[in-house]
Amino acid sequence: MRRGTIIATRTFIDAIRDAGYRGPGAALAELVDNAFEAGATTVRIDFAAGEDGLPVVTVADNGYRMTPDVLRIALQFGGSSRFGSRSGTGRYGMGLPAGSVSQAQRVDVFTWTRPRDVVWSYLDVDAIRTGEMDAVPLPRRKAAPMTCGTPSGTVVVWSRCDRLHGYGSRSFLRGIAATLGRVFREHVWAGRTILLNGERVVAVDPLFRNVAFHDAGAAPYGPSLEFPLGLADSAGVHCASMVFVSFHELPIGAWQSFTNAEKRVRGISKGAGVSVLRAGREIDYGWFFMGEKRKENYDDWWRCEVRFEPELDEFFGVTHTKQGVHPTPQLNAILTPHIERVAHELNRRVRETFLATRVGMIESLATGLAARKDRLIEPPPQRSESAPEPRASGVVGGLTYRIERRKLPQADFFVPACARDEVRLIINEQHVFHRAAYGDECEPLRTMELVLLAAARAEARFRRRGERDILTRYREHWSRVLAAFLA
Ligand SMILES: Nc1ncnc2c1ncn2[C@@H]1O[C@H](COP(=O)(O)OP(=O)(O)OP(=O)(O)O)[C@@H](O)[C@H]1O
Ligand SMILES: [Mg+2]
């Protein structure tokens, strides 16, 4: 190595291998990015065992080919045909070599316009480390190791893959499919295909937009918010680029009955967060722009998406591995007040929906049970002497029960309304009992004991004999009915 060169290649190669890709899916996303930027409509990714026992990964696309000059640049760290470009995904000239060596010890690239006119070059980590390789080999004609059947395209082969942790396990390919399906969901929706060992990768949308389980899917909440951010282009001319923020609510009614395992597999539980898309490709997912708001389980039931174009990379703190954002204080100051406000609103809506459905379920259980047990209780005396009329079914049944909640003007915490064959219980929403019994932080046992203590205390108010007799009979009858309901 020449003394004083800026990059100490032999040690740099090991440093760059640890660039910090979150996993093979994130590293492969670099190659898929390049393929789609080269106009590919299909990307085939195949895993196989190599002769040395380590896996080999082949990524083939049908995009525009590289010229030999571009191929040589492509394998350089920092080499790009679009360095600094803000019109697409790639701009650093790092994705192909850094993504590749993060997983493999050797990368070969074949590119062609005619199947018989294939050019090839490569990088070899061992050779770089020993100093044998200090420049990207001049591209040469070489037959590709697979059929290059498309009119043009590129094949990248990773071999001696020593960092594909978990390779061979059942979840390995599933994990990669999930990552790619999510990162490139918009490309898949636009009709592009990613094949993983022959299987089509399906779009995974954390906002559940095009997903329906039990015939129900997520619904947008409010209109998309738009934030124009001012910037100066290379010539110093001021222009604006938009950040779009949208929210979706998941259908609680239809999906809450899933088991916990189903909710996890479907990405509902533990899925709260903001999906950040850069040029239509997911770059991060996390709890961004939430200010003081902490994440709660209720937040699994709504999602947020923030979209921006690469012109705003500096605001979002994008790094060359394109798998994370680090928003600047300036961007946080613009977005957080709005996103945090809507987050609180959506959290409240989820909370209320859960409460209403839980109360509704308990109510229908209670009223159903009371109606069934009512036969065990002597019927209330008829106003006339006539016998109870049979129901439409011809069976003499007990009373039916209904619970309603309303804002009543009087002080009663409940009012019964008994018709001939129905008991209606109207609960006064104005009374604090309603909040104590059904509210967010209700404590059922304590509330029940306070209800009974209040009843006992109210009895103390009635001292006259006639009053006490009625109260005693009322309490006896109440206790018998309760015993029948609970039997
Ligand atoms: N599959 C491909 N088809 C055509 N050209 C490609 C392909 N892969 C890479 N290239 C070319 O190689 C160059 C380097 O790719 P690389 O991913 O390293 O950098 P980049 O895409 O320019 O920027 P970034 O580091 O942001 O991804 C690209 O600019 C592109 O010209
Ligand atoms: Mg790239």
Side-chain angles (χ1 to χ4, degrees):
M1 195 203 325
R2 271 182 298 122
R3 285 175 57 135
T5 52
I6 302 256
I7 293 175
T9 323
R10 291 157 70 169
T11 46
F12 167 81
I13 191 66
D14 283 314
I16 196 72
R17 290 200 82 195
D18 297 336
Y21 286 97
R22 285 184 191 154
L28 278 167
E30 293 280 15
L31 304 192
V32 179
D33 266 342
N34 288 341
F36 286 150
E37 271 207 274
T41 53
T42 302
V43 184
R44 308 179 58 98
I45 304 170
D46 289 290
F47 285 78
E51 282 168 13
D52 52 7
L54 289 172
V56 172
V57 187
T58 308
V59 181
D61 70 59
N62 63 349
Y64 313 119
R65 74 128 186 194
M66 284 175 259
T67 61
D69 288 345
V70 170
L71 172 56
R72 199 161 185 226
I73 292 170
L75 280 165
Q76 276 181 321
F77 293 91
S80 174
S81 60
R82 45 185 174 244
F83 190 81
S85 151
R86 301 301 177 102
S87 59
T89 354
R91 60 170 271 225
Y92 295 100
M94 293 295 280
L96 171 57
S100 300
V101 299
S102 76
Q103 310 296 311
Q105 296 176 76
R106 179 172 168 126
V107 49
D108 290 79
V109 182
F110 304 83
T111 184
W112 68 91
T113 31
R114 275 171 299 151
R116 300 174 69 83
D117 185 14
V118 181
V119 285
W120 156 82
S121 188
Y122 72 103
L123 291 181
D124 187 298
V125 168
D126 280 345
I128 297 171
R129 212 183 271 134
T130 57
E132 255 172 76
M133 178 181 265
D134 63 358
V136 178
L138 271 175
R140 284 199 278 126
R141 279 182 155 208
K142 182 171 171 166
M146 71 294 300
T147 3
C148 303
T150 51
S152 68
T154 297
V155 173
V156 179
V157 183
W158 292 349
S159 48
R160 305 208 314 275
C161 294
D162 55 346
R163 298 212 170 161
L164 292 177
H165 305 301
Y167 175 71
S169 73
R170 285 201 358 232
S171 58
F172 181 78
L173 284 184
R174 252 190 280 133
I176 292 180
T179 303
L180 295 178
R182 184 166 169 149
V183 168
F184 295 104
R185 57 184 182 258
E186 301 224 327
H187 297 80
V188 174
W189 288 334
R192 297 189 189 117
T193 304
I194 304 172
L195 294 167
L196 191 56
N197 274 11
E199 288 210 15
R200 203 179 262 264
V201 168
V202 291
V204 177
D205 181 20
L207 277 79
F208 292 93
R209 267 163 300 205
N210 298 339
V211 184
F213 307 128
H214 286 188
D215 289 336
Y221 177 75
S224 162
L225 308 176
E226 295 177 11
F227 301 88
L229 261 64
L231 20 95
D233 68 12
S234 48
V237 178
H238 280 271
C239 50
S241 186
M242 286 290 192
V243 178
F244 296 93
V245 180
S246 58
F247 299 88
H248 269 68
E249 290 181 301
L250 275 48
I252 298 173
W255 294 0
Q256 68 166 336
S257 57
F258 291 148
T259 62
N260 286 344
E262 274 177 310
K263 284 190 198 135
R264 210 175 36 251
V265 168
R266 294 186 158 150
I268 300 168
S269 53
K270 306 264 175 263
V274 180
S275 173
V276 185
L277 268 73
R278 172 186 183 266
R281 171 239 211 257
E282 185 175 275
I283 184 167
D284 208 348
Y285 194 86
W287 199 244
F288 299 111
F289 312 114
M290 292 297 172
E292 300 287 303
K293 167 133 188 28
R294 297 276 143 264
K295 190 162 36 167
E296 297 170 74
N297 289 346
Y298 288 127
D299 298 316
D300 283 342
W301 294 90
W302 60 269
R303 305 296 164 95
C304 175
E305 187 175 88
V306 172
R307 314 169 59 92
F308 70 98
E309 293 304 316
E311 291 128 356
L312 298 178
D313 277 355
E314 282 76 6
F315 281 95
F316 282 83
V318 173
T319 59
H320 75 78
T321 58
K322 295 184 223 86
Q323 35 165 20
V325 292
H326 306 278
T328 57
Q330 195 188 352
L331 180 65
N332 264 316
I334 295 168
L335 297 188
T336 304
H338 301 275
I339 296 184
E340 186 183 3
R341 179 183 50 78
V342 180
H344 280 293
E345 229 164 82
L346 286 164
N347 178 289
R348 182 184 47 76
R349 283 167 63 90
V350 173
R351 205 178 268 265
E352 284 174 4
T353 310
F354 266 104
L355 211 63
T357 44
R358 201 181 71 215
V359 168
M361 267 160 51
I362 293 173
E363 258 178 30
S364 66
L365 275 176
T367 50
L369 195 82
R372 262 181 285 124
K373 299 286 175 92
D374 195 77
R375 291 155 218 273
L376 305 172
I377 305 162
E378 69 188 78
Q382 299 296 312
R383 284 229 175 92
S384 70
E385 288 308 304
S386 60
E389 276 176 30
R391 296 256 172 85
S393 61
V395 178
V396 180
L399 302 180
T400 55
Y401 290 80
R402 184 143 52 106
I403 299 177
E404 286 174 17
R405 47 198 76 245
R406 274 200 249 135
K407 291 189 167 62
L408 298 176
Q410 63 264 51
D412 310 46
F413 75 98
F414 76 95
V415 176
C418 302
R420 212 169 53 147
D421 54 6
E422 185 188 64
V423 174
R424 205 150 45 102
L425 171 68
I426 303 163
I427 296 173
N428 187 0
E429 286 179 337
Q430 304 270 56
H431 195 285
V432 283
F433 163 78
H434 185 260
R435 185 157 32 86
Y438 304 100
D440 217 3
E441 283 147 25
C442 72
E443 289 184 51
L445 207 61
R446 194 180 61 129
T447 308
M448 190 180 73
E449 284 183 338
L450 287 173
V451 166
L452 296 177
L453 286 172
R457 175 68 178 78
E459 280 198 28
R461 164 100 171 55
F462 301 95
R463 293 268 171 228
R464 272 189 254 133
R465 184 144 197 200
E467 289 172 342
R468 296 226 50 84
D469 285 349
I470 291 179
L471 280 174
T472 308
R473 279 175 55 211
Y474 172 70
R475 196 170 354 92
E476 274 169 16
H477 192 64
W478 184 5
S479 303
R480 276 205 299 278
V481 174
L482 182 62
F485 284 173
L486 296 177

